[in-house]
Structures are given as structure tokens and as C-alpha cells.
Amino acid sequence: ISGVSQQHILIVFLLAGLTSFLTAINSIYASIPPALQRYDIVNKINLSQLAVYNLGALVLALLGFQLKAILALNFLTVAGMTVAYRVFSQKLLPFLRLRFAWDKQELKKLYSFGIFSAIANISMSAVNQFDRLLIPIFLGPTQLSYYSLPGNVAQKTTTVVGSLGGTFFPMANELAAKGEVQKLGEIFRKVIRNLSVLAAATTASIMVFGEKILRYWLGEEFAAKGYRVLLVLAVTYFLL
């Protein structure tokens, strides 16, 4: 990052940190609608946030604004999403009064329950980011671009499949509660087959049109260097 303004970097990190803090706060409210199987609310809020952020970022980029403005926009959209989830959560559970406090007993109970999940999440993040740490160290920061940007395209396979797979949860929860294990197994096999076909179709589309996607998105030179990386990553994310 030599040659880049230290003040600019500080503001970028500050905005990223504030956004991360808000995301953590939002996770409390955002857990209520899916717990009550109100995925319609989840989809409306998330799609609204994505639309506002992506369109806003595009407008800012076209007007010549830089990373600080885009991160500020991200912070504002996450703040709006947090408010929306809080309002809907209060409507769904009007008797619930959430407040933030320090409670040693609750903290102990939560950590003893969730520590393994936390370790798993940290481990998964470490694995997913480890390659992005090694590449610039040994090959230079430029090579990271030829790896991470094609990776963003290939990752759409897991995004699509994961979003659709999440809708299986309420059904599985209900059948498991009723003890209908055989029916649950049958539906699970159908879901796996359909998601496997969808993942294969998405992966095949990325591999066939990957060179064109990179060329129109990032230019001829980048496509020539990044396309082979995209092919490997497309297969990797299919397996994931």
C-alpha cells in the first residue's frame, strides 16, 4: 500500500469496522424472521439492501467517487437493513423487549453452547482466506487480482445453491418434529438431486462463458490471464 494516503486507509478501515459492528448488531434482529419461517421478510429486506447498495455504488463510481464513498454507502445500507429487521422483529414478536447488556451467566451459557460453531466459522474463514494471504506474499499483489476476481465469478455457484438450499430448512424442521424421518429422507434426496443438477448447470455456464464474462467485465488482457484460473475455481466451487 505504499504511495497510498495513510489518512485514506484509516478512513476505509474505520468505515469497514463500523459496518462490521452494525452487521453483528443486525444478526440479533435478523435471526427472528427466519426462526418464525418468515423468509418472505428476509428476502424483501435483503434484496432491497442489495439493490440500493449495488445501484448506489454504480452511480458513485460513474460520478468519480472513490472507495471511501462506496464504503460509506455500504455502512448506510447496512444501517437501514438493521432498522428494518428491528421493526419487523418487533411486529412479529410485540411482547419481546430486546436490550443490550452484560450478563455473565448468559455469556457463559452462550459461549459454552456456541464455541464449537464459532471455531468452525473461524476455521472456515481462515481456510477461505488463506490462499488470498499466500498469493500476494509469494507472487505479488497483482497476481491476487487474477485469482480473487475470477473467484468472485466462480463463487456464484455456491451462492445460488446455498440460497435455494436454505428453503429446505423449514420443511426439514417440521418433518423432523413430527418424526416423519422416511419422508424427510425422500425429500432430502430429491433436493440433493435438483441442487446437484443446478450446480452443474451453473458451473458449466461459467466455464463456457467465463472468458466472455471476464473480457466484458475486466478487459481483454485480464481475461487472457484469468480465464484458466476461473476454470479451476469453477470446478472447485462446484465441489463445495
Side-chain angles (χ1 to χ4, degrees), residues 140-211:
T142 304
Q143 297 301 315
L144 180 60
S145 301
Y146 293 116
Y147 178 83
S148 60
L149 291 173
N152 289 342
V153 177
Q155 198 172 7
K156 300 309 175 192
T157 304
T158 54
T159 303
V160 171
V161 172
S163 298
L164 292 174
T167 60
F168 175 66
F169 174 76
M171 190 188 312
N173 189 40
E174 183 179 358
L175 291 172
K178 292 179 179 179
E180 299 180 18
V181 180
Q182 186 176 352
K183 187 177 181 181
L184 176 60
E186 292 172 1
I187 295 175
F188 182 75
R189 284 189 288 273
K190 288 181 182 178
V191 170
I192 287 293
R193 283 198 295 269
N194 288 324
L195 290 182
S196 297
V197 170
L198 178 63
T202 307
T203 302
S205 300
I206 290 173
M207 295 178 76
V208 170
F209 299 106
E211 193 275 336

Side-chain angles (χ1 to χ4, degrees), residues 4 12-13 20 75 97 101 113 143 149 169-170 193 223:
V4 181
V12 166
F13 269 98
S20 178
F75 171 75
R97 292 291 179 266
F113 176 78
Q143 297 301 315
L149 291 173
F169 174 76
R193 283 198 295 269

Side-chain angles (χ1 to χ4, degrees), residues 87-236:
V87 169
F88 276 105
S89 297
Q90 288 180 331
K91 287 182 178 179
L92 291 170
L93 297 174
F95 56 87
L96 184 66
R97 292 291 179 266
L98 290 175
R99 64 185 182 87
F100 295 92
W102 183 267
D103 189 304
K104 290 183 179 180
Q105 292 301 319
E106 285 297 321
L107 200 65
K108 184 179 178 181
K109 185 169 66 175
L110 287 170
Y111 270 91
S112 62
F113 176 78
I115 189 67
F116 294 108
S117 177
I119 292 171
N121 288 334
I122 293 169
S123 301
M124 185 62 70
S125 297
V127 169
N128 289 337
Q129 300 300 324
F130 190 60
D131 46 4
R132 289 170 171 81
L133 178 67
L134 287 180
I135 289 171
I137 291 174
F138 291 100
L139 302 177
T142 304
Q143 297 301 315
L144 180 60
S145 301
Y146 293 116
Y147 178 83
S148 60
L149 291 173
N152 289 342
V153 177
Q155 198 172 7
K156 300 309 175 192
T157 304
T158 54
T159 303
V160 171
V161 172
S163 298
L164 292 174
T167 60
F168 175 66
F169 174 76
M171 190 188 312
N173 189 40
E174 183 179 358
L175 291 172
K178 292 179 179 179
E180 299 180 18
V181 180
Q182 186 176 352
K183 187 177 181 181
L184 176 60
E186 292 172 1
I187 295 175
F188 182 75
R189 284 189 288 273
K190 288 181 182 178
V191 170
I192 287 293
R193 283 198 295 269
N194 288 324
L195 290 182
S196 297
V197 170
L198 178 63
T202 307
T203 302
S205 300
I206 290 173
M207 295 178 76
V208 170
F209 299 106
E211 193 275 336
K212 290 184 174 64
I213 292 171
L214 293 179
R215 189 188 340 142
Y216 292 130
W217 180 27
L218 299 164
E220 197 83 41
E221 181 183 355
F222 194 99
K225 294 182 179 179
Y227 175 57
R228 284 176 292 177
V229 176
L230 178 58
L231 293 178
V232 176
L233 290 175
V235 177
T236 304

